[in-house]
Amino acid sequence: MDYKNTPYYSVGRASDLTGKDRFLYRCLEIVPGFLAWFTILAIFFFSFKAPFYAAIFIIVFDIYWILKTFYLSFYLRQNWKKVKHNLSLDWKERLSHVKYDGLYHMILLPFYNESYDIVKKSLDSIFESEYNKKKFIIVVAGEARNKIHAEEIKLQVEKDFSEKFGHILCTFHPAGVLGEMPGKGSNIAYAAEQTRQLILDSNHIPYEDVLVSAFDVDTVVYPQYFECLTWNFLTAEEPLKSSFQPIPVFNNNIWESPALSRVVAFSCTFWQMMQQERLDRLTTFSSHSVCFKTLYEVHYWQKNMVSEDSRIFWNSYLANDGDYRVVPLCYPVAMDANLASSFWLTMKNIYKQQRRWAWGVENFPYIAFGFIKNKKIKTSKKIKNLLIVIEGNWSWSTNPIMLFLLGWLPVILGGRAFNSTVLSYNLPTFTRVLMTISMTGLFLCAWVAMSFLPKAPEGSGHWSKVAMLLQWILIPITVTIFGAVPGLDAQTRLMMGQYMGFWVTPKHRKK
Amino acid sequence: MIVIKKKLRLIIFFLIFIIISPIVVLYAKGDIFTNGWNILETGGMYVTEAPVGSNIFLNSKSQTSTSFFSRDILIKNLRPGTYHVLVQKDGYNAWSNTLMVKNNLVVAADVFMLPTHVILEEIPKYISQSDGTATTTGAKIKNQDYVDILAVFSTSSPAVSKKIFSTSTIDFKDNLGTKISPIMDGKIGLWQDGSAIFAKWFGDDDQAPTYFCNGSDCSETITVYHSLAPIRKINFLPDYNSVVLVASGDEIFAIQIENNPDKVPQLIYKGTNPTFQMIGGDVYIKDNTYIAHVQL
């Protein structure tokens, strides 16, 4: 039996299973949080009981971190060059040598309570893109649990865009469906199925000729984005066993957002850029694309969990017995940085958004469990993927804390005997110097970030631009407070069985 | 080609990590490489509390000087052995000590240097009526400050600021500063026995200043000072729990607690029969009718 037809395929949490499977899955849910807390508590314990070894570990870890920073900065630089190159290419001309007339783009724009301005800006950007509009199937996907608002959006969309695209459809995902979690996954899965029935089947459009883009509703595309996507799809080695990932650049409202929000947003972009150069680690994130045939075969996005964007990759990976990949587009799509009506609300929203992203840790038990159950995947692939995922989650929740908070712990807890050693005197100095060296990578970050900035709004002075450079000194704060802490929060919740629901990031733009 | 390049890059970074880590760790714990890649274990000396601009000498060789941004200096890579450390600054008493540097350990050199001429601000007995300034002629009234301070000197239970002795268990009775009831500042006890002054650590060994410890035993009693003249009064110098203020003979001086064969009393006042009192965290001296505030 195909793995996708087993009861394990669409498991969302341990309670979806029974017996030994349930116990095993629950144990796997505990692993990431346990590792994170074990690391942090071990540093406390060894700082107290064996400060000499704790200090050596911290120094070696600092060196590892510096080298990792430089190592990853190579990838950032490499990807940045590719992005610049891709933005300068004439993709229309490239596509002129390829036959693609029969290809349709289904674009899913899920929303819950976002204003029409946000939806309109996305649709405007699609309309203003250079691709043939008749080949677009636009799906504006609302939620029935907010039906009045969804109906209003539908009316406005139909008024402004009904004649502009080949097909346009507004769907309302029903509320309270058994076994579903309200959120983006269940909404776009419903929207995709509705579109299949109402548009694809009725117009006899072959599933393999439809490329689905699941966008966040604030996604604004660059003029030749769809040409780039089409070219990558048509030239991919295994187009039906691939997802296609653009780089999310959160610059729609970057000039209005506070510095902390900007740094967090760009950090996410940079991480995605680095991942695009490390194909063995690349999974789908946020806005992404996949062929409808593939999507249909894997039963769309999972409806009973939060991180549908990355889970769809692992669903496809397990369904295809490990023969699945993500093709990096090295091409940006613009999205919103976190911005609320007040500074503190923005900070709160950033934290919640980061925690939701960190809740992607729910993929670990799913993958590990899937690897145990699916015997058709090579063991080496399983081990490699598990190590990548567990290392990713572990470093997310612990590394900034180890670097910026625990580096001095042996000196504080080590006692008199340790505090009279040369190592004890050198530890704070070495940690400080090593951290300063690793911060030099921020120059590259600042440089790349500047290149992604849209034109500054009128009236913004030189100080705004200087602030765009200086903001990078906030990195130790952002990676700790808006990185490690929400990461640890999410992993602890999973460990304790306190499952999170989908939290919709409020979209706010200053008028 | 790209894959090979990526793997090569990963291998290079891994090799750098493997090579650099032990070198940095060895250096951090105090080991240095000598000719022929031999590893030599070294120690260090941590010179603290020296006034800004002090010059530090080790075995008569100038090492470094303190500055506003680096008042505490770590002298690293010292081969194990005995070092004579000398700290000098114009206008201050020189400070020196002979310290043993051991492998991978740092020996602390807690410097205490008073100016050669400590500034004494006299509290006049009388002040002029008009502007409050001291005067010896004309209309004059008794200075209330003088009266108040004199009153403190006259009582057996001085008005000692809580700021100084917040954690103390000071016994203000007549047996003040005896072995049975030592003056306490934190966990350091200080007492007088005949012409000698003693100090002892009463806390956990783990928290003890190194000069109280012999290996892991930190319960040693230190003989702080042996006086030729009778000792009238002892106490901790405010803000320095390792320094004792002593009124003995015709002098008031400060002396460090730690065992230091080179240590000498640092003179604060020389008169006829002086004593001192702590008031509000400040030191006041009295010699017959003369009262002054010591500016440290």
Side-chain angles (χ1 to χ4, degrees), chain A residues 184-200:
Chain A
K184 190 180 157 194
S186 52
N187 187 355
I188 56 178
Y190 175 81
E193 174 58 14
Q194 287 289 298
T195 313
R196 181 182 77 84
Q197 293 172 17
L198 300 175
I199 296 178
L200 303 191

Side-chain angles (χ1 to χ4, degrees), chain A residues 71 78 277 416 420 422 426, chain B residues 6 28 76 104 106 205-206 208:
Chain A
Y71 179 71
Q78 205 165 300
E277 295 300 311
R416 194 180 57 81
S420 59
V422 176
N426 277 333
Chain B
K6 280 182 180 173
K76 290 198 271 194
N104 300 135
V106 173
D205 284 357
D206 212 33

Side-chain angles (χ1 to χ4, degrees), chain B residues 20-33:
Chain B
I20 282 184
S21 296
I23 295 172
V24 175
V25 167
L26 285 174
Y27 187 72
K29 70 188 263 293
D31 298 348
I32 55 170
F33 288 95

Side-chain angles (χ1 to χ4, degrees), chain B residues 208-243:
Chain B
T210 47
Y211 49 81
F212 280 110
C213 302
N214 181 10
S216 58
D217 177 16
C218 301
S219 59
E220 286 203 342
T221 298
I222 292 179
T223 306
V224 179
Y225 186 65
H226 248 296
S227 177
L228 296 174
I231 296 170
R232 274 190 304 285
K233 193 175 178 71
I234 58 169
N235 211 327
F236 290 96
L237 188 64
D239 299 330
Y240 296 85
N241 63 5
S242 66
V243 179

Side-chain angles (χ1 to χ4, degrees), chain A residues 188-228:
Chain A
I188 56 178
Y190 175 81
E193 174 58 14
Q194 287 289 298
T195 313
R196 181 182 77 84
Q197 293 172 17
L198 300 175
I199 296 178
L200 303 191
D201 288 355
S202 59
N203 290 285
H204 308 292
I205 299 172
Y207 296 170
E208 61 269 29
D209 286 350
V210 180
L211 196 47
V212 183
S213 291
F215 282 171
D216 280 7
V217 73
D218 55 338
T219 305
V220 171
V221 293
Y222 285 64
Q224 290 200 337
Y225 173 76
F226 290 105
E227 279 83 355
C228 172

Side-chain angles (χ1 to χ4, degrees), chain B residues 51-238:
Chain B
V52 173
S54 301
N55 295 309
I56 299 168
F57 299 85
L58 278 189
N59 292 344
S60 307
K61 271 175 72 178
S62 176
Q63 294 289 320
T64 182
S65 57
T66 60
S67 68
F68 181 77
F69 295 106
S70 57
R71 278 196 68 178
D72 299 336
I73 303 268
L74 177 64
I75 303 169
K76 290 198 271 194
N77 303 334
L78 298 177
R79 292 182 182 227
T82 305
Y83 288 82
H84 181 255
V85 55
L86 172 67
V87 185
Q88 286 182 323
K89 183 184 177 179
D90 287 346
Y92 281 77
N93 295 307
W95 182 92
S96 68
N97 199 351
T98 302
L99 296 166
M100 173 77 87
V101 172
K102 294 177 184 169
N103 287 344
N104 300 135
L105 294 177
V106 173
V107 61
D110 297 320
V111 177
F112 173 67
M113 292 162 68
L114 282 180
T116 44
H117 298 289
V118 175
I119 298 170
L120 299 172
E121 183 191 6
E122 186 182 356
I123 310 295
K125 196 171 182 179
Y126 298 100
I127 52 174
S128 69
Q129 199 164 13
S130 55
D131 57 4
T133 53
T135 178
T136 51
T137 58
K140 58 183 184 179
I141 58 168
K142 275 213 163 182
N143 182 356
Q144 191 56 44
D145 287 348
Y146 183 93
V147 174
D148 293 343
I149 294 165
L150 186 64
V152 174
F153 273 99
S154 308
T155 58
S156 59
S157 297
V160 181
S161 161
K162 286 209 167 182
K163 187 178 123 193
I164 314 171
F165 298 118
S166 56
T167 57
S168 69
T169 52
I170 293 176
D171 188 335
F172 289 119
K173 293 175 194 161
D174 292 334
N175 60 355
L176 172 70
T178 67
K179 191 172 184 180
I180 304 160
S181 183
I183 305 168
M184 297 294 293
D185 188 2
K187 299 284 171 62
I188 300 176
L190 184 72
W191 72 91
Q192 176 193 337
D193 193 355
S195 59
I197 301 166
F198 300 95
K200 186 177 163 75
W201 175 253
F202 289 95
D204 296 338
D205 284 357
D206 212 33
Q207 315 270 319
T210 47
Y211 49 81
F212 280 110
C213 302
N214 181 10
S216 58
D217 177 16
C218 301
S219 59
E220 286 203 342
T221 298
I222 292 179
T223 306
V224 179
Y225 186 65
H226 248 296
S227 177
L228 296 174
I231 296 170
R232 274 190 304 285
K233 193 175 178 71
I234 58 169
N235 211 327
F236 290 96
L237 188 64

Side-chain angles (χ1 to χ4, degrees), chain A residues 403-420:
Chain A
L403 284 166
F404 297 113
L405 299 181
L406 303 186
W408 284 262
L409 216 51
V411 178
I412 296 164
L413 299 178
R416 194 180 57 81
F418 175 70
N419 285 338
S420 59

